[in-house]
Amino acid sequence: MIIHRLDMLGNNPSVHQCCSTSTDLPSPPCASILDRCVQNEVGHSLKRRTVYGELVILGYNGCLPQGDKGRRRSKFILYKKPVPNGIKKSKHYIVKTPKTSPAMLDAERHSISYSLSRNQAVIVEYKTDNETDMFQIGRSSESPIDFVVMDTLPAQKLDQKSVQSTISRFACRIIVERNGNHTSKIYAAGFDSSRNIFLGEKAIKWQHNSEVDGLTTNGVLIMHPKEPFNDTSFQPGVWREVSVGGEIYALRMSRSGQKGMKIEGETNTLQDGTLIDLCGVTLLWRSAEGLKKSPTRHRLEEMIDELNAGRPQCPVGLNTLVIPSKSTISMGEKQPYIYLNCGHVQGLHDWGHNTNGRTCPVCLRVGPVVRLCMGSEPAFYVDNERPTFAFNPCGHMASENTVKYWASVPIPHGANGFHAACPFCITPLMGDSGYVKLIFQDHVD
C-alpha cells in the first residue's frame, strides 16, 4: 500500500507541472508519476526501506511548478537512515565567549548557544544517539538541510516581485525513534554546517530549574488534529509554538513577540495530520500508518475515470465534458467549468455574460465561474470518497469530508493572521462555506 504513495521519484520537470486555476489560460501539462517503470523497477527496492512518514507542503498539487528536484520537492519522505544520525542532550555549562568555546568550534559536536548577555552564554552540548534519526528542514541549501522549503504564495500572486523570505535558513529539526512506533518529535531551529545553533542576545530565551530554552525569531508553529486525521469526526486543533528544546507554548501576540504561556500536557510528538508552519510555508505531516488509509494517486485517477464514464454534458453546448486529471494537457471545449454560486458544472460558453459575472443557464443564479481541476495530492484527503465538491474560488475538486475539513482549518498568514485555504493551491477560501457541491448533468443517455 505504501509503495503507491511514494510517487514523487521522477525528476523530469516536464511531468511535474501543476494544474492552473485561471479561467483564461489552458491547463499546463501534468503527467502521472506512477508509471510502470517506477512501480516495477524502483518499487521492489523501496519496499525494503522503512518509511517513518511524509512531509507535504500546502499549496502544491502534487509537484512544484518547476518540478521536484533533489531536496527541493513538494513533499519529502522520511526513510529510516542506513546509519543513525540522531542526537540527545549531553551537558550544559556557562561560558563568556560562546563563539570561541571549544564546543562551538568543534564541527564534530552538535551544540546550541543561548546568549544571555554580551559576556555570558549557556552552551548545551549533544551527543550521538544510535536509537534515533534526525531530519532538518529550512530555506538553506546547505548539506545539513534534508528538505529545502521556500515561501509558498497563492497561484494568483506567483507573478509578484519576490520579497525577503521569512523562513529561517535552518528552521526546524525532527527526531525519529528508529525502532518501536517510530515516534517523531519536532524542535525549533536546525543545526548549521558547523553543527551549531546560535540564539543571539535578542532572541527569546529563558532559564528555569537550571534548564535553558528559547524560541526562534519567527517561530515554529504546530497544530495537532483533535481527532485522527482519517476519522469522520475529525476536527482541527489549536495552533501552538514549539521551542528549541521541544516544549509547547501558546502563540505569541505576533510572530516575533514575547513568548506565550507554557502549555502543560501537550507534546511536540507529531501525529498523523499535524500541521507545521515555518512563517512562509506550511507543511502537513502524514505518518506511515496514516498513509495506508489514504487514497493512492492511482485511486484518485480511477475516481476521475468513473466520473467521466457518466459522460457529463454541458446543457448549453450539449457536448460531453471530460474532467481533467494530472496527465491531461488541455481539454479544450471538453473542459468543465463550475458556477461557484450554485455548483452547476458546464462547458465554456458565451451565454449569460454580465457585469456581475455569469448567469447560470440552469438555475439563473449570477456569479463567478472557474475551471474545474482535480485535487491530485492524496496526502490532503481525509477519506477515500469520490471528489464531489470543489473549493471556492479555485475550483480544486475533492471529497466532501476533505473540503469541509480544510475549510475549518485556520492557516497562518503573515505575522499574526489566519485564514482557511485550499490545500492544493493555498488560495484563501471565499463564500459562506468555502466550498460548493458539484452538480453534473450526467448519465443522460
Side-chain angles (χ1 to χ4, degrees):
M1 190 79 172
I2 284 289
I3 189 62
H4 292 295
R5 296 288 294 110
L6 311 182
D7 48 13
M8 45 175 280
L9 299 172
N11 287 330
N12 185 352
S14 66
V15 299
H16 286 282
Q17 301 298 318
C18 291
C19 291
S20 169
T21 59
S22 170
T23 59
D24 301 317
L25 300 177
S27 299
C30 262
S32 171
I33 309 167
L34 276 174
D35 51 28
R36 295 183 182 275
C37 176
V38 172
Q39 288 182 340
N40 296 335
E41 297 181 15
V42 182
H44 294 298
S45 63
L46 288 179
K47 284 182 178 179
R48 295 192 295 268
R49 299 183 67 180
T50 299
V51 175
Y52 295 141
E54 185 176 85
L55 289 168
V56 189
I57 304 177
L58 269 62
Y60 302 108
N61 196 11
C63 58
L64 296 180
Q66 295 80 25
D68 288 353
K69 302 175 183 178
R71 292 174 293 153
R72 285 286 311 277
R73 320 187 69 84
S74 65
K75 54 187 174 183
F76 175 72
I77 300 172
L78 279 68
Y79 292 109
K80 186 175 184 178
K81 293 181 180 286
V83 178
N85 72 331
I87 56 174
K88 57 185 177 182
K89 284 185 180 180
S90 172
K91 57 184 177 180
H92 67 276
Y93 47 86
I94 297 176
V95 298
K96 292 184 178 180
T97 54
K99 292 188 177 181
T100 58
S101 67
M104 305 306 288
L105 295 175
D106 187 350
E108 298 301 316
R109 281 189 285 179
H110 289 86
S111 303
I112 303 179
S113 171
Y114 297 87
S115 296
L116 305 180
S117 67
R118 291 185 178 181
N119 301 316
Q120 189 180 66
V122 175
I123 303 294
V124 179
E125 290 190 26
Y126 288 75
K127 62 182 180 181
T128 301
D129 182 6
N130 292 326
E131 300 299 319
T132 61
D133 286 333
M134 182 171 67
F135 302 86
Q136 298 205 143
I137 302 99
R139 179 170 50 86
S140 173
S141 59
E142 294 183 28
S143 58
I145 295 298
D146 298 277
F147 189 22
V148 179
V149 295
M150 302 298 290
D151 295 76
T152 303
L153 296 174
Q156 68 269 25
K157 295 184 178 181
L158 291 178
D159 59 346
Q160 291 184 356
K161 294 182 178 180
S162 59
V163 295
Q164 185 174 0
S165 176
T166 50
I167 303 173
S168 173
R169 296 176 66 247
F170 302 91
C172 66
R173 62 197 190 278
I174 295 174
I175 304 292
V176 186
E177 292 182 358
R178 291 173 61 86
N179 303 308
N181 294 327
H182 305 307
T183 300
S184 306
K185 297 187 176 184
I186 185 170
Y187 301 81
F191 293 94
D192 61 20
S193 297
S194 300
R195 299 190 176 185
N196 296 327
I197 295 175
F198 282 98
L199 266 71
E201 191 175 345
K202 295 182 180 179
I204 305 298
K205 58 191 123 22
W206 58 92
Q207 281 184 295
H208 181 69
N209 295 334
S210 75
E211 293 292 328
V212 63
D213 203 352
L215 303 173
T216 54
T217 301
N218 289 324
V220 174
L221 310 186
I222 62 173
M223 188 191 78
H224 301 309
K226 290 183 179 179
E227 304 292 341
F229 191 68
N230 292 101
D231 194 307
T232 55
S233 61
F234 50 78
Q235 295 182 55
V238 178
W239 282 101
R240 305 296 192 193
E241 182 167 6
V242 61
S243 70
V244 176
E247 300 293 338
I248 302 299
Y249 291 84
L251 298 187
R252 294 179 259 182
M253 293 298 293
S254 65
R255 294 296 284 247
S256 58
Q258 295 299 312
K259 75 179 180 74
M261 179 180 64
K262 184 176 181 181
I263 307 298
E264 303 291 348
E266 295 193 16
T267 174
N268 64 332
T269 300
L270 298 177
Q271 305 171 20
D272 185 41
T274 293
L275 286 171
I276 304 167
D277 187 80
L278 305 179
C279 195
V281 63
T282 305
L283 302 91
L284 173 69
W285 167 259
R286 297 304 310 272
S287 66
E289 289 301 312
L291 292 175
K292 294 179 182 179
K293 302 175 183 178
S294 298
T296 63
R297 185 167 300 199
H298 178 65
R299 176 54 187 151
L300 293 181
E301 292 175 352
E302 285 183 339
M303 293 178 185
I304 290 297
D305 291 340
E306 292 169 2
L307 288 173
N308 285 330
R311 297 177 60 82
Q313 190 177 81
C314 175
V316 176
L318 300 180
N319 56 303
T320 299
L321 305 175
V322 178
I323 301 167
S325 66
K326 293 284 282 186
S327 59
T328 304
I329 296 177
S330 176
M331 289 289 91
E333 64 178 10
K334 296 181 179 180
Q335 171 68 48
Y337 287 75
I338 178 175
Y339 285 73
L340 293 174
N341 281 353
C342 60
H344 285 106
V345 179
Q346 305 174 34
L348 186 63
H349 51 74
D350 295 328
W351 193 91
H353 277 282
N354 59 63
T355 57
N356 296 319
R358 294 191 183 183
T359 301
C360 173
V362 177
C363 65
L364 302 183
R365 293 189 65 178
V366 178
V369 177
V370 69
R371 183 166 50 207
L372 208 55
C373 183
M374 181 63 182
S376 300
E377 173 49 64
F380 297 146
Y381 281 74
V382 301
D383 59 18
N384 287 272
E385 300 302 317
R386 288 186 178 187
T388 55
F389 281 70
F391 287 103
N392 180 359
C394 60
H396 279 104
M397 300 171 57
S399 67
E400 179 178 3
N401 284 334
T402 297
V403 297
K404 288 182 177 179
Y405 177 77
W406 288 105
S408 68
V409 174
I411 304 298
H413 170 68
N416 54 5
F418 295 85
H419 58 213
C422 169
F424 302 106
C425 64
I426 215 64
T427 299
L429 301 185
M430 298 177 62
D432 294 337
S433 62
Y435 53 84
V436 60
K437 180 176 175 59
L438 301 174
I439 303 175
F440 292 98
Q441 182 173 310
D442 53 7
H443 296 91
V444 294
D445 296 337

